[in-house]
Amino acid sequence: MTRRSTLRFAMRGLWRELRSGDALVLFGALAVAVASMTAVGFFTSRVAAGVAREATQVLAADLRLESASPIAARVLARARRDGLRVAQETSFPTALFHGDRSQLVAVNAVTPDYPLRGRVRIADVPYGPAIATTAIPARGTVWLDSRTAAVLGLRPGMSLRVGAIRLRFTRVLAFRPDQSVGLVSLAPALLMNAADLPATTLIQPGSRATYAALFAGPPAAVAAYRTALRAHPDPAVRIRDAAENSRELGSAVERASRFLNLASLSAVLLAAVGVAMSARRWASRRVDGVALMKCLGASQRFVLGVALAELAAIGALALIAGTLAGAIAESGIAWLLRSLVARELPAASVQPIAVAFATELAMLLGVALPPLIRLRRTPPLRVLRRDAAPPRLRHGVVPALALVALFAILWLMVRDSALVVDLAAGVVAVGAVLAAAGFVLVRVTRRFRGGVGVAWRYGLANVSRRGVASVLQVVAFGLGLMILLLLAVVRGDLMREWRASVGARAPNEFLINIRPQDVPALRRALAALGAADTPMFPVIRARITAIDSRPIASLHFAGARGRAFAEREQNLTWSADLMPDNRLVAGRWWTPADEGKPWVSISTEYRDALHLKLGDAISFDVAGEPLTVRVASIRQVRWDSFRPNFFLVFPPRLLDGAAGTEITSVYLDARERPGLAALAQRFPTVTVIDVDAILAQVRTIIDRASLAVQYVSLFTLAAGVIVLLAAVQATRDERRHESAILRTLGASRFTVLSGVAAEFVALGSLSGLLGAAGAAATGWWVAHRLFALRYAPDPRLWWFGILGGTVLVGVSGTLAARRVVGAPPAQSLRAEG
Amino acid sequence: MHPGSNGAPLALDAIGLTKTVDSPSGPLTILADVDLRVRAGETVAIVGPSGAGKSTLLALVAGLDTPTRGRVAIAGTDLGRLDEDGRAAVRGRQVGFVFQSFQLIPSLTALENVMLPLELAGDPNARAAATAALTEVGLSARLAHYPRQLSGGEQQRVAIARAFVGRPPLLFADEPTGNLDAATGRRIAQLLFELNRAAGSTLVLVTHDRELAARCDRIVELDAGRVVG
C-alpha cells in the first residue's frame, strides 16, 4: 500500500477510534498536559516580553547610576560635557500623615528633564483617565498615586505635610517609568520637585536614601561614557543599563514563574501516566484487528504506519485543543495576578506552543509509542489461537524511553540541569513515598471487606484486586489534593502559627531616621503613647573594604547574599548589652572594660555569606574613615521579633563621632496609633513604618500568588481524572463481564452500581487521606526546618482532604463506569463469546 | 507451478510439515511429518478429533505460522523463503479466510469489513466490489450495520463475502459452521460451496462436521498430529 493510502486508512479510522473511548482518554491526557503547559507558558512569556520591552523604560534612562550617597558633581559634569542629557532622582521611604491616617510611601524627588526615557502619566482625579506629560511637579506641589490619596482621604488641591513642610497635592500620579524594579510594584509613590527636598529635612546623615543619576543621549556617546565609568569603578556606585536590567528582570521572572511551572509539571507527569495507560489499552484493543489485517495481507510497515498516523493525528488535535484551553486558562492566571503585575502585558509569544509540542512529542515517543511498536509484531496466528500475542518489549526499553522523556520534559520546563536532577530525585522520592503509602492503604482496605454489605464487599474487593491501578489512582489524586491542601489550608495554618509565635505585643511600628538630638523628646512622646523604656539603637552606614587585609573586590562570593554584603553599604550599631532576641553561638560578649576596643560581633548570616570566623579582621569605610576590627563573637538573631537588629554590632565608644541616626520599634495598640500623626508632625524627619500594613501587603502578594498556583494545580486534578478514566477504560471489559455475571445471578442494577460507587468512594477517601497526610507532613517539615515553628495540622485539613477526594473520585469514577455496568447482561455475555 | 496427479497445477504444496513447541514437560510435537498437496479447484476437508493438529496444520499451510521442519508453497511460492511481510503479501494476493469466530472488526461496518482486503491490496473500486459481494450473500440491506447489530449467521455471511471479494484462488475455512446452529450452519455451508464453485477457487476446510466434510472432493484425517486417512 502506498503512503497516501495508509494515511487515508488511518484517518478514516480515527473518528471511530476517538469514539471508542480509549483514544479519547489518550487525547484528553495529551490535551491536559498541553493546556497546563501553555497556560503557564503564555502567562510567563507575556510577563517576560513586557519586562524586556520596558527594560529601558524601567531605568527611565539609557544609563543609570545608583548610590547610597549623592553622586559626585564631577560625574554629572563629565556627562554633560560628553553631550548626554542628565537628570537626578532621590528616593527614600517616608510616612505621610493626613488627619489621623498615615501611609508609608516611596518619595521620588526629581530634577527637570526626568524621566529621560519613557513618560510620566498623570490624572486629574484618583483612578481617572491618565495622560502622558513631560513636566515634573512644580515647586511646592506633589503628585500622589491614587491608592495613597484614597487611603489618606486626600483630593487634588488639598495640602499635606511632607517632613517639615507642607506641599500641595495637584495631580494624581498614574505611572512613572521606573516605578517598579521587577514584576511587583509595592510601595505607593509620591513624586516631588527635587528643589523642595532640603526644606523637608527628610534627608539626614545615615538616611536610607538612594541617589540616582540618569543619563540619555546618542548610543555612541552613552557607550563611551559607560566605558569611561567602568574604567574607574567606584564600588559605592552601581551602573545599570538596559541590557543588565533586562537580564536581571528576566531572571526575576524566571524565578517567579518556577512555582507555576512546578504546578504545571505535576499535571504533565500525571498526564504522562494517563497517556501510558490509555496507549497501552488502545494498543491491546487493536491486537485482534492487526492480526486479522496481517492475515489479510497487511505488512508490518502498514500496521505501524496506520498506528503512527492515528497517534500523530490525536497528538495534533490534542495540541490544538490544549493550546486553546491553555490560552483561556492563561487569562484566568493573568486575572488572578492582575494586581501584582504592574504593567499592561503584551501578547503572548508562540514559544510556549513549541515547548508544549516538544513535551507532547516526548510523551508520545517515550510513553505512547512503545506499546504501538509492539503491535507491529502481532502474529497473524492470533486469528486462530487467542493465546498468540505480540512479543513483550525487551526489558528496560519502555522504562528507559519513559525516563528519557521525563527528563526531557523536566529540562524543557525549567532549563536548568542541576534543578532537573534535584526535581527528578524529588519526584521519584515523593512518588515512591505516596505509592508505598497508597499500597499500604489499599492492603488495609482488604481487611474491611468482611463486615460490610455485598455492594461494599464487591467494591472493596475491586480496590485490592486491581492493586497497581488502585495505587496509581490513589497517588494521582493524592498528589493533586496534596498541592491544593498545602496551599489552601496548611499555608493559612502556618501563617497563624507564625503570628502567634511572634506574640501579641510584638512591636508593630518601626521609627527610623531619628536625629540623636530628638531622642530624649521622642522617648517622652512615645512614653505618653504608652510605649515606655523604648530602646534606641544608633545606626551608622559603612562599607566593607577588606577581609584579613585582602581587598573586598579581589574576593569572590558565590551567593547573592555574600555579594550584597560585600558590595552594598551596611547599617552598623553599637551596644553595651547583647540584644534579648540574640544568642551567642561563638566567642564572648564584651564587658565594660572592652569598650572602645576594635572588635565586632557578627550575625550567623554574615558569617556564612562572607565565610568569616572568630578573629578575622574586617576593614570598613565609615563615612570616609577607615576602621579595622576583629570578629569577637558570632550571634544568632531572631529577625521576626520585630525589634531592630543588626548583622554588625560594635562595642560602645568605638564609633564615637561617626554621624548617624537612631532607630527603634514600639508596640502601639489601636487606641494609641492615631497619636502617631501628631508625633510625626512634631518630629518631621522621623519615618514611621507600619509593620502591620507591610505584612498585610506581603500577605496579599502571597495570597494572590498561591491562588494562581492553586489554579494551575487544577490541571493536576484534571490529569488525575484522566488517569481515573484511563483506569476505568482499562478495566471496561472486565467490569462488563463481572456486572453481567452479577446481574445474571440476580443482583439489581442498583446493587451493581453501588458496588462500583463503593470502589471509587474508597479510592477517593484513600487519596484524600493520603493528600491530607502529605500536606500535613510537608507543613510540619516547612514549619520545623525552615521557620522553627510548632505546627499541628488543623483538623479541617483531614475533613477537606477526605471529603474532597471522596466526592471528586467517587462521583467521576461512578459516572465513568456507569455505562459499562448498565449494559444488559445478555448483550455483555454474548459480546464476550 | 508443479502439476498435480491429474494434471491441474498445485494450489497448495506442503511437504513434511512438523511443528514442535516447548512445554513444561519438554518439547511437544503437535504435527509430525504431514504432507498436504491440493490441486487448483479441489475442495479438501481436514478432519479429526480436538487436539489432532487441524488448526496447526491450517496455520502452517496459510503462512500464519512457521513450521519447525518442512516446506509450504502456495501457487508455487515457497513460504519458507519469505519473511513475515512477504508471507502477508502472498496471503493478500492468493488467499481468503473464513473463521469459526467470524473475526470481523467490531468498529467497522459490514461494508467496511468486506472492503478491508481490497483496500489493503490498493484496489480503487473496493466499495463497489464489496457492495456487490454483500449483495451476493444476501446482505444488501445490512451494509451499514456493525457486527454487534448482526446475527451469527449474518456475521458469517459478511465473513464469507470478505473471503471471496478479492477473488482469491485459495480459500481456507476454519470450522465455518462451528459457532452456528444446525439450520444456519447448513445454509452457510451451502453458500460457501456455491460461491467456491462459481469462483472456481480451491477450498481447504477444517471441520469436526462429517456431513460438511463429505461435501468435499477429498477428506484428510488427522490424529495426534499425523495423517491417518
Side-chain angles (χ1 to χ4, degrees):
Chain A
M1 274 188 97
T2 63
R3 195 169 295 170
R4 238 178 85 191
S5 57
T6 305
L7 200 63
R8 204 175 52 225
F9 193 84
M11 290 309 106
R12 225 182 39 215
L14 184 64
W15 176 238
R16 277 193 299 267
E17 291 291 345
L18 283 174
R19 277 193 318 184
S20 80
D22 300 315
L24 200 61
V25 175
L26 180 60
F27 164 84
L30 291 170
V32 166
V34 170
S36 91
M37 288 201 72
T38 48
V40 172
F42 283 148
F43 178 70
T44 50
S45 84
R46 286 180 70 192
V47 173
V51 164
R53 189 183 63 180
E54 295 179 16
T56 44
Q57 279 208 22
V58 169
L59 296 178
D62 293 334
L63 189 69
R64 189 178 169 109
L65 301 186
E66 285 176 2
S67 172
S69 45
I71 306 284
R74 58 184 165 74
V75 176
L76 305 179
R78 160 89 198 261
R80 288 195 183 93
R81 270 205 313 281
D82 287 358
L84 297 177
R85 291 189 298 135
V86 179
Q88 283 175 274
E89 182 178 5
T90 308
S91 314
F92 55 92
T94 194
L96 292 183
F97 290 88
H98 180 71
D100 57 357
R101 300 176 187 183
S102 69
Q103 172 75 46
L104 184 70
V105 297
V107 173
N108 294 276
V110 294
T111 60
D113 283 349
Y114 168 89
L116 300 179
R117 294 283 182 235
R119 287 265 186 279
V120 171
R121 291 214 303 272
I122 51 174
D124 288 335
V125 290
Y127 301 106
I131 51 158
T133 178
T134 53
I136 65 164
R139 287 201 64 168
T141 69
V142 294
W143 297 348
L144 198 58
D145 76 302
S146 295
R147 187 148 58 103
T148 310
V151 168
L152 294 177
L154 283 166
R155 285 187 306 279
M158 299 170 90
S159 69
L160 70 157
R161 177 167 289 280
V162 181
I165 57 171
R166 292 192 77 81
L167 297 171
R168 205 154 61 83
F169 166 35
T170 53
R171 291 275 190 277
V172 174
L173 177 65
F175 174 82
R176 61 187 178 83
D178 51 353
Q179 68 183 16
S180 64
V181 190
L183 288 184
V184 179
S185 164
L186 267 185
L190 177 146
L191 196 66
M192 65 181 284
N193 195 307
D196 287 330
L197 190 55
T200 64
T201 70
L202 285 172
I203 301 290
Q204 298 292 324
S207 291
R208 282 199 74 100
T210 301
Y211 299 85
L214 284 59
F215 308 99
V222 172
Y225 184 63
R226 181 172 45 219
T227 309
L229 282 175
R230 291 208 166 129
H232 305 286
D234 177 351
V237 176
R238 186 163 169 223
I239 305 172
R240 298 179 61 187
D241 60 13
E244 181 219 16
N245 216 34
S246 177
R247 226 173 15 250
E248 238 173 56
L249 296 186
S251 70
V253 169
E254 209 167 278
R255 276 198 302 275
S257 59
R258 211 157 261 183
F259 286 104
L260 291 176
N261 270 329
L262 284 181
S264 90
L265 179 73
S266 62
V268 170
L269 290 177
L270 278 186
V273 173
V275 168
M277 289 170 74
S278 53
R280 213 170 135 172
R281 158 87 182 161
W282 188 35
S284 72
R285 269 174 56 92
R286 294 171 67 112
V287 168
D288 288 339
V290 166
L292 182 73
M293 284 202 287
K294 288 179 86 171
C295 177
L296 297 179
S299 65
Q300 295 192 33
R301 196 175 145 179
F302 173 77
V303 168
L304 188 64
V306 170
L308 281 182
E310 286 185 6
L311 198 62
I314 290 172
L317 287 177
L319 186 67
I320 294 168
T323 303
L324 286 177
I328 293 167
E330 187 273 337
S331 54
I333 302 176
W335 186 79
L336 284 173
L337 293 178
R338 67 196 181 283
S339 58
L340 298 188
V341 181
R343 295 151 203 287
E344 282 280 301
L345 293 177
S349 76
V350 293
Q351 200 210 355
I353 304 179
V355 175
F357 174 64
T359 306
E360 201 197 10
L361 209 59
M363 283 163 80
L364 286 175
L365 295 182
V367 180
L369 194 58
L372 289 175
I373 289 179
R374 182 171 164 252
L375 202 58
R376 187 176 61 111
R377 306 279 302 276
T378 305
L381 181 62
R382 191 177 167 86
V383 294
L384 293 176
R385 283 183 35 200
R386 299 286 306 159
D387 57 339
R392 289 188 170 277
L393 285 173
R394 256 178 246 129
H395 274 307
V397 172
V398 181
L401 282 175
L403 211 63
V404 168
L406 173 80
F407 271 82
I409 293 166
L410 286 171
W411 188 83
L412 277 168
M413 294 188 79
V414 295
R415 311 274 178 128
D416 179 340
S417 312
L419 194 66
V420 165
V421 174
D422 288 355
L423 262 177
V427 163
V428 169
V430 169
V433 169
L434 287 180
F439 180 75
V440 171
L441 286 176
V442 168
R443 285 293 289 267
V444 167
T445 311
R446 205 180 281 177
R447 294 172 177 270
F448 290 102
R449 272 162 58 183
V452 291
V454 60
W456 273 94
R457 187 158 54 239
Y458 172 61
L460 293 183
N462 276 343
V463 170
S464 49
R465 180 160 56 104
R466 304 196 172 107
V468 174
S470 297
V471 171
L472 214 55
Q473 289 170 78
V474 168
V475 171
F477 281 102
L479 190 65
L481 289 168
M482 181 181 128
I483 296 174
L484 285 181
L485 289 171
L486 201 55
L487 294 169
V489 182
V490 175
R491 183 175 54 87
D493 289 350
L494 286 178
M495 200 73 111
R496 270 189 298 280
E497 290 288 342
W498 175 68
R499 293 300 295 259
S501 80
V502 166
R505 294 187 64 84
N508 56 2
E509 304 285 349
F510 264 77
L511 280 71
I512 63 172
N513 276 349
I514 305 164
R515 293 185 299 186
Q517 63 267 36
D518 289 337
V519 168
L522 186 68
R523 268 191 208 278
R524 283 195 298 277
L526 287 171
L529 290 175
D533 300 330
T534 310
M536 301 256 179
F537 295 92
V539 180
I540 293 164
R541 305 197 76 179
R543 174 180 305 284
I544 186 167
T545 55
I547 294 175
D548 282 337
S549 305
R550 284 177 298 166
I552 197 77
S554 69
L555 298 174
H556 175 72
F557 301 102
R561 193 163 204 175
R563 285 195 295 273
F565 280 143
E567 289 165 10
R568 295 191 193 149
E569 281 203 317
Q570 300 296 311
N571 288 323
L572 325 173
T573 193
W574 65 82
S575 175
D577 306 313
L578 184 65
M579 284 89 161
D581 44 8
N582 286 205
R583 190 170 62 84
L584 273 194
V585 294
R588 69 169 183 87
W589 193 253
W590 32 78
T591 61
D594 300 321
E595 287 187 3
K597 286 189 178 164
W599 286 355
V600 65
S601 174
I602 62 173
S603 75
T604 47
E605 292 85 1
Y606 208 78
R607 171 196 67 188
D608 297 340
L610 297 181
H611 318 304
L612 293 169
K613 58 184 185 308
L614 286 180
D616 282 351
I618 315 177
S619 302
F620 290 96
D621 171 345
V622 184
E625 294 293 323
L627 171 70
T628 297
V629 291
R630 290 203 172 269
V631 177
S633 63
I634 299 171
R635 292 162 295 124
Q636 184 147 41
V637 180
R638 266 205 70 186
W639 296 99
D640 64 0
S641 67
F642 291 100
R643 293 191 178 83
N645 263 306
F646 297 84
F647 293 116
L648 300 162
V649 180
F650 290 82
R653 298 201 10 238
L654 180 63
L655 294 171
D656 280 0
T661 56
E662 305 253 335
I663 180 173
T664 189
S665 67
V666 294
Y667 172 79
L668 293 180
D669 63 28
R671 276 175 301 123
E672 305 292 356
R673 280 170 97 167
L676 279 176
L679 186 134
Q681 282 181 22
R682 211 177 127 199
F683 303 97
T685 66
V686 172
T687 297
V688 181
I689 297 173
D690 182 344
V691 175
D692 283 346
I694 290 176
L695 282 183
Q697 214 159 19
V698 170
R699 200 170 178 158
T700 308
I701 294 172
I702 295 174
D703 283 350
R704 287 273 160 198
S706 62
L707 206 59
V709 176
Q710 284 177 58
Y711 176 81
V712 175
S713 301
L714 291 180
F715 284 112
T716 309
L717 280 191
V721 171
I722 295 286
V723 169
L724 176 119
L725 290 178
V728 170
Q729 283 291 116
T731 55
R732 205 166 61 167
D733 298 338
E734 200 176 296
R735 285 177 193 281
R736 183 177 283 140
H737 181 68
E738 283 171 4
S739 68
I741 291 176
L742 283 175
R743 292 192 63 192
T744 309
L745 295 176
S748 69
R749 189 168 182 276
F750 178 78
T751 307
V752 176
L753 202 58
S754 301
V756 171
E759 177 184 344
F760 288 107
V761 162
L763 278 179
S765 47
L766 290 181
S767 345
L769 189 66
L770 198 61
T778 313
W780 182 88
W781 185 85
V782 168
H784 274 255
R785 299 295 300 272
L786 302 184
F787 298 116
L789 289 173
R790 295 162 66 85
Y791 170 69
D794 185 330
R796 286 178 312 163
L797 178 72
W798 305 102
W799 285 115
F800 283 153
I802 294 172
L803 215 62
T806 305
V807 170
L808 182 72
V809 183
V811 170
S812 50
T814 309
L815 283 179
R818 192 185 49 164
R819 255 183 50 202
V820 176
V821 301
Q827 188 183 323
S828 304
L829 290 176
R830 199 170 61 214
E832 286 285 315
Chain B
M1 197 168 282
H2 304 284
S5 57
N6 68 349
L10 281 177
L12 174 67
D13 186 11
I15 309 278
L17 289 183
T18 299
K19 182 72 180 177
T20 308
V21 293
D22 291 329
S23 77
S25 54
L28 181 70
T29 301
I30 304 173
L31 214 58
D33 205 20
V34 171
D35 295 343
L36 181 64
R37 310 187 113 187
V38 183
R39 298 187 310 276
E42 192 182 11
T43 55
V44 177
I46 301 168
V47 296
S50 293
K54 303 189 297 291
S55 290
T56 303
L57 177 60
L58 184 72
L60 294 179
V61 295
L64 297 177
D65 200 2
T66 50
T68 311
R69 267 199 323 274
R71 193 183 75 94
V72 178
I74 289 179
T77 306
D78 183 354
L79 297 188
R81 292 166 183 248
L82 301 174
D83 62 5
E84 201 193 307
D85 279 352
R87 293 196 297 274
V90 169
R91 282 195 300 271
R93 283 195 309 272
Q94 304 282 341
V95 179
F97 286 96
V98 179
F99 302 100
Q100 176 179 8
S101 53
F102 322 137
Q103 295 288 1
L104 300 178
I105 295 183
S107 57
L108 301 183
T109 62
L111 180 64
E112 287 166 339
N113 266 292
V114 178
M115 284 166 65
L116 197 58
L118 298 177
E119 287 185 314
L120 289 172
D123 186 336
N125 298 315
R127 184 172 292 271
T131 307
L134 280 166
T135 306
E136 214 171 337
V137 298
L139 288 180
S140 56
R142 295 276 194 267
L143 301 184
H145 285 58
Y146 286 93
R148 66 171 186 281
Q149 298 168 319
L150 299 172
S151 69
E154 286 172 328
Q155 290 189 48
Q156 195 60 305
R157 280 167 192 266
V158 174
I160 289 173
R162 184 180 64 189
F164 282 100
V165 71
R167 306 275 165 218
L170 179 58
L171 201 69
F172 290 109
D174 178 32
E175 302 278 11
T177 59
N179 265 2
L180 304 170
D181 62 72
T184 310
R186 273 194 296 278
R187 279 200 295 278
I188 288 295
Q190 184 65 26
L191 180 66
L192 184 64
F193 279 95
E194 273 173 19
L195 285 175
N196 186 57
R197 202 164 24 251
S201 45
T202 310
L203 177 65
V204 178
L205 185 78
V206 167
T207 185
H208 276 105
D209 185 347
R210 291 279 168 186
E211 195 185 324
L212 185 62
R215 299 180 66 156
C216 294
D217 303 334
R218 181 154 63 98
I219 295 178
V220 175
E221 188 156 355
L222 283 184
D223 193 15
R226 293 179 184 278
V227 177
V228 292

